[in-house]
Amino acid sequence: VIIHNPNPAQLEPIWNLRPASYAGPSDSDFFREGEQNRVLVTYKTSHVVVKFSFGQSVLWSYGQLGTPGIGANQLDSPSDAVKVHKASVSDTTSEYLIADTGNNRVIIVDEQSKNITWSFSGVDTLSAPVDVDYITTADSNDKILVTDQTLHRVLIINRATRQIEWSWGTGSPGSTIYELNNPSDADYVPATDHVLIADKGNNRILEINLADSTVWVWPNPVPEVEDVDAYESAGFLVVQKETVKSTGALTWLPTVLRFTEAPHEIFSDIYQVDKSVNFTNIFWRADTLAAGTTIGFQFRSGIDFGDIAKNPWLGPDADTTSMYTTPGQELIAKHKVHQLYQFKAILQTTNPRATPSVSQYGVRYSSYDTTATPLIFPRPIGPDSAEQVTVAWDSLIIRWNIPPEERNYKNDLDFRLSINNAETGQPVYTYKPNPYSDIDKIRLAEIPGLRGVKRIYLTTNLITHNTALTPRLDKWKVIWKQTETEPSIVEFVDENYESKPFYTAANYIPGPSDTVFVDHVYLKISNNISELEDVVPLDVSSSVTQDVETSNLSLKIADVDFYGSDVGLPIVVVDNISDAVVGNDTLEVVDRDSLRVEYQSPQRPTEISADSILIVRGTVGRFTVENVNRQPITNATLGERLYLRVASETDRSLDPVLMDSLDVKLLNINTRDEETVTLYEVQSTGGGYDTGEFISPDDAGILLRDDPSYLPEDGVLYTRLGDVVHAIYQDNFKRNPTLVYVSIPDSFTIQVAQPLLCEVAPNPYYASRDGNFRMRVASSIGTLTVTKIEVYNIAGEKVLQINGDEVNFPDWGGNSVGINRYGILENWWNLLSDSGHQISSGTYWVKLQADVLQENSNVVEKMSTITKFVVIR
């Protein structure tokens, strides 16, 4: 532990302590006891805090040397300790504040008794206190300042109440001004009521005003700052990671951080232009100036090096004391007809925590030339890659800078402007602007030679016949629109220019009042449309009949512009290929014919886009609603499930190998409940899918239920007595949808006509195909209560028993069903025996036993019935 005089002339330490008994000093605190100097040293490795006299005698210590612990007179890896100075009590109180890091606590120890008079700890509150500071207040309401490195925050704790009164940091590492990352030190500055924080993980120093929580950050990185203290003249004394110049090693060194108050002058090199010019304006770019900082510039120029070396530095007042203080400021007239120039920047600060900074500087100058040398702008105008976009040129706007006092000399000026193809270097357009007009606008869209050109560059001749006068091109602007050049796409679409999977056609062209709907052929070209002509004709050909007809496409303005057919080509299905007529504006095709179109880019002949589409002869499907036994119905009861079928729909059965599907809707207008059902194509006997017949799966029946809690698209249709269910199918070939109505009787009573009924469906039941295995029970003589369900195999062995108290009909909320009403059990058997084994394919019998309470009496009759069914695995 050493004490240094900051005077650079005194290199040797004032005090140097290296005792043999102690190791790992982590912090030291210098203080006065009466008239004596004292040094309090925290030894992290030795687990002790020691007070030394200036004669290096041990006056007091706390902790057991070399032994960590949390008991009496024990510490564990302490990081910091300070003498407690209190305003209202003399220093004879002799207390010491210690950051007991290894024990996750902060303690105050009495010197005489070595008793802990105050402590603060807790895993959730402190994790690794590495630094402490004692804040003395006039009202004895003292505070403890703690740096918790692991929890990434700094705390102020009220000594009397042990409450956290202030904190900085969120508890997690971060880099915003409100976050900390492994802070290593925090000190209280009484003169300013500020807290200084060494934010080690972020390589920075923060200064926080406790009054309003405003934050100031030292603007330069402080590598791995370990410690920070307020220094004289408002600077900082820090310990930071630095490179030792003599050895090149990385180490932590004490450093004083502050900016100088003296003016600092920075000189540029001497620069030279290739001819005599008039220097007109001075420019620079500086960081935002903090309070107390200023930047000024002076400038000098000359004919040659000897001339500039003797010329004085001048400011805007043509003297050596004034300075240019505004970027862009006009230079004085003395800097004309010169070739060399030099800058001087004067940087000054009265704020030791801020310095001005200049990042760029420059000068503007002008010169005139009487020769007719073209001025070429070699950088192409347009997209970076000519192969990846298309370009639509709009306009070129030019502004000539002609001062008003020189307008009498316009006859001495001459202008020439050329627009050139950047790919070929050939001129596309030559223009002579009006010398008496300041602004010219050229309509590039009206120049034929620019069509298809991706990039251009400009060439201009600025000619003067007067050495005191020159034309000057002040500004120019080219306006164009570019579109990404993905390869051009041609495709068959509908009348709204949306993609279609196929076209539906008939053997005639329907009129406006016809009940069937057929498609017309429309085409669309996307991408590169700015390269196209006003109208693009494309031929559409049939693969089978060889009919060829032409569709004309023109520009369609939308969110993304494209070319589309103006009129759709009608399609007619013929029986004989010989009936096709070429050139009659109607495409004659056969069923399952295909149409083809091809588009070749006019700018890129190798780029060819093509599309084809299938033609399907339209058919009207037969739409029916069925019950669980797949029988067409027009009436149904609550508790039943509805199934749907569409037959003879060959224009929806396009792929003979893959299964197709279509959607239909069930709607109850009264309850406003709606269900969508997906129908799947029935497989043919040959194994393909070309039957044109679509049915809803067995497990997708829509349940009719009088329950308003059910929602749309939940598989249950909210239906009441007397309602009518609408089944709606939109056929591709019909203008209006096909409707089938199913009526619901306005009474719950149904005629079962059996004292005890038990049905299972589907029968036979295919375990690999049929999802829902249902059982329906009913009685025509009274309310039935199921007491037992048994299943027997063909050998008469019982394989399953379900007791009555295990039966629950969802529509009835138990195992009882009213007279002439159906009770339906969904998935009543999982095909497992009572022993837990899978049953095999075969014939089975289900025996239903029930108690039937006869209507209008109290007689209960025990009844049973047997039903045969087949299971196929």
Side-chain angles (χ1 to χ4, degrees), residues 243-249:
T243 302
V244 181
K245 294 182 179 179
S246 59
T247 64

Side-chain angles (χ1 to χ4, degrees), residues 482-760:
Q482 68 182 56
T483 306
E484 294 297 326
T485 334
E486 300 174 5
S488 300
I489 299 173
V490 62
E491 56 183 325
F492 288 99
V493 293
D494 60 16
E495 66 274 13
N496 298 316
Y497 303 106
E498 300 291 338
S499 296
K500 280 190 69 70
F502 60 91
Y503 285 140
T504 302
N507 60 352
Y508 65 100
I509 300 176
S513 61
D514 208 308
T515 59
V516 299
F517 174 82
V518 297
D519 292 311
H520 283 62
V521 174
Y522 286 85
L523 299 173
K524 177 181 178 181
I525 299 176
S526 308
N527 302 343
N528 304 335
I529 62 172
S530 61
E531 301 176 343
L532 303 182
E533 301 294 336
D534 295 335
V535 176
V536 179
L538 292 179
D539 288 340
V540 181
S541 61
S542 161
S543 298
V544 179
T545 66
Q546 304 299 307
D547 188 8
V548 179
E549 305 297 337
T550 301
S551 177
N552 291 318
L553 285 67
S554 61
L555 181 62
K556 309 299 178 186
I557 305 300
D559 293 338
V560 179
D561 297 344
F562 61 92
Y563 271 67
S565 298
D566 296 324
V567 179
L569 292 173
I571 313 170
V572 173
V573 178
V574 297
D575 295 327
N576 300 309
I577 295 176
S578 59
D579 293 336
V581 179
V582 176
N584 65 348
D585 293 330
T586 299
L587 281 161
E588 285 86 9
V589 299
V590 297
D591 187 25
R592 298 312 196 262
D593 202 343
S594 63
L595 301 180
R596 178 175 174 80
V597 65
E598 188 174 280
Y599 165 70
Q600 184 176 28
S601 170
Q603 276 69 37
R604 291 170 298 282
T606 59
E607 181 184 297
I608 298 175
S609 173
D611 193 22
S612 62
I613 192 168
L614 183 68
I615 305 296
V616 179
R617 184 168 185 169
T619 59
V620 178
R622 298 195 308 274
F623 184 39
T624 55
V625 180
E626 300 176 344
N627 60 16
V628 69
N629 296 317
R630 298 296 182 175
Q631 297 170 334
I633 59 172
T634 56
N635 295 283
T637 60
L638 296 181
E640 282 195 86
R641 290 185 178 270
L642 302 184
Y643 298 84
L644 303 167
R645 183 186 302 268
V646 175
S648 301
E649 190 61 285
T650 58
D651 62 0
R652 294 293 293 269
S653 177
L654 305 183
D655 193 319
V657 177
L658 299 178
M659 176 187 291
D660 295 316
S661 64
L662 53 85
D663 289 340
V664 298
K665 287 189 178 297
L666 285 175
L667 172 66
N668 189 323
I669 297 177
N670 294 329
T671 64
R672 298 185 180 181
D673 193 5
E674 181 178 300
E675 303 296 327
T676 301
V677 182
T678 300
L679 279 58
Y680 297 94
E681 189 174 5
V682 176
Q683 190 174 23
S684 65
T685 56
Y689 290 92
D690 56 359
T691 60
E693 186 170 5
F694 298 80
I695 62 172
S696 54
D698 287 341
D699 59 353
I702 302 300
L703 179 65
L704 301 178
R705 178 170 290 175
D706 184 7
D707 187 345
S709 65
Y710 288 93
L711 302 174
E713 309 298 347
D714 63 353
V716 176
L717 192 67
Y718 172 29
T719 306
R720 298 169 305 191
L721 295 177
D723 284 350
V724 175
V725 174
H726 293 63
I728 307 170
Y729 169 55
Q730 181 61 64
D731 195 298
N732 279 352
F733 195 52
K734 290 181 63 179
R735 292 186 181 276
N736 300 317
T738 301
L739 300 177
V740 176
Y741 303 98
V742 177
S743 299
I744 310 300
D746 52 9
S747 172
F748 274 117
T749 303
I750 56 176
Q751 297 303 317
V752 176
Q754 292 189 37
L756 184 61
L757 171 70
C758 177
E759 297 175 334
V760 293

Side-chain angles (χ1 to χ4, degrees), residues 379-386 389 391 393 454-456 478 480 482:
R379 181 175 179 179
I381 303 167
D384 292 336
S385 174
V389 296
V391 178
W393 299 103
K454 301 295 191 302
R455 293 191 291 178
I456 62 174
V478 176
W480 81 91
Q482 68 182 56

